[in-house]
Amino acid sequence: MTSLIRTIHRWTSLAFSLAVASIFAGMAITTLPEWFYYLPLPPLAVLLPTGIYMFFLPYLRGQRVGATAPKGHV
């Protein structure tokens, strides 16, 4: 499950970056229609929950009952 979320986050971040780059490139060339500036919002809506999940995952894993530290760690 975590692997799937990481993959979704990775590809969505690529789509977000391309959308933002296309806005900057388009602004340099011509005047863009207003809707064009909203293109990064759908990928951003996916990046937010997946990023929050991955941020809190190490903390949630540490709370598990019976979790042990890796060898060599005190």
Side-chain angles (χ1 to χ4, degrees):
M1 178 71 171
T2 302
S3 174
L4 176 65
I5 291 176
R6 287 183 186 277
T7 302
I8 291 170
H9 188 83
R10 186 175 299 125
W11 284 102
T12 307
S13 67
L14 179 66
F16 176 78
S17 299
L18 289 174
V20 171
S22 69
I23 289 172
F24 279 105
M27 286 172 51
I29 296 171
T30 185
T31 302
L32 298 173
E34 189 173 326
W35 62 266
F36 204 80
Y37 296 103
Y38 294 111
L39 285 178
L41 292 181
L44 192 59
V46 175
L47 286 171
L48 185 63
T50 57
I52 289 172
Y53 173 80
M54 289 191 302
F55 178 78
F56 284 109
L57 191 62
Y59 300 108
L60 296 175
R61 282 187 179 167
Q63 303 273 334
R64 289 186 187 166
V65 175
T68 59
K71 289 185 178 182
H73 290 15
V74 177

